[in-house]
Amino acid sequence: IHLLAARIMAAGLVDLGILRGDVEDLVAMDAHALFFVHGIGHLIGLDVHDMEDLGDLAGYADGRVRSSRFGLGFLRLNRVLQQGMLVSIEPGFYQVPAILNNPETRTKYKDCVNWDELAKFADVRGIRIEDDILVTDRCREVLTGKLPTNVSEIEELVRVNG
């Protein structure tokens, strides 16, 4: 699931002109991880982050270990999904100065990142859309599916309840 999200993220960044190249190649070289620095999601317990606080004990199945690969090293969930699990799905775009301004990073990704185009998005520090998913016997139930996601609906919700 994470790598599917990474390909979608890379394709979107190519469409915006921020990344250059073939999407599969960009994901293979972890260029997507410059902006999608965390895993796709994590387990949810009684609180949204209580299972994540257990780290790899909860997030990783027996025999699975944290990857040393830049694009996979920060996954918070590495297990087969099973009925009854509650998970977050939260792809995100972030601009982390410590990553993007690192001279080694700039050298490694100089041919696939359009740094001038990225500069146009300097005021966008991060974007994340999260859904909470219950894994069912048939497929999944999106518990957050009825929450507003477009700008006008969110602005109206804030105006009425703010």
Side-chain angles (χ1 to χ4, degrees):
I1 295 171
H2 174 76
L3 289 174
L4 173 60
R7 288 191 295 274
I8 292 168
M9 179 72 69
L13 293 170
V14 168
D15 289 346
L16 287 171
I18 293 171
L19 288 181
R20 295 184 283 229
D22 175 75
V23 168
E24 294 296 328
D25 292 342
L26 291 167
V27 172
M29 66 176 19
D30 295 324
H32 70 282
L34 293 169
F35 310 101
F36 183 24
V37 296
H38 59 76
I40 188 65
H42 55 82
L43 292 171
I44 299 173
L46 296 175
D47 181 43
V48 74
H49 286 281
D50 62 351
M51 296 301 286
E52 188 181 16
D53 290 344
L54 295 173
D56 294 356
L57 180 66
Y60 281 65
D62 288 340
R64 294 190 180 183
V65 296
R66 192 166 289 277
S67 175
S68 60
R69 185 175 149 185
F70 174 57
L72 300 176
F74 297 102
L75 297 182
R76 298 166 292 170
L77 182 59
N78 187 351
R79 57 174 53 244
V80 174
L81 298 179
Q82 299 173 2
Q83 180 179 344
M85 285 182 169
L86 184 59
V87 298
S88 71
I89 300 293
E90 49 185 284
F93 169 87
Y94 298 94
Q95 293 198 62
V96 180
I99 294 172
L100 296 176
N101 295 330
N102 180 303
E104 290 176 19
T105 301
R106 291 235 170 197
T107 299
K108 180 176 181 179
Y109 295 104
K110 67 179 173 46
D111 294 330
C112 59
V113 176
N114 182 339
W115 300 102
D116 292 332
E117 193 64 28
L118 179 62
K120 295 177 183 177
F121 297 90
D123 62 331
V124 180
R125 302 299 289 186
I127 302 168
R128 177 174 66 204
I129 299 173
E130 179 173 337
D131 275 309
D132 297 335
I133 312 295
L134 175 63
V135 180
T136 68
D137 61 342
R138 289 178 289 153
C139 191
R140 45 102 180 107
E141 180 181 344
V142 182
L143 302 179
T144 50
K146 293 185 179 179
L147 293 176
T149 57
N150 73 47
V151 173
S152 62
E153 289 176 330
I154 293 169
E155 287 174 343
E156 177 63 18
L157 182 66
V158 170
R159 187 186 63 73
V160 170
N161 294 310

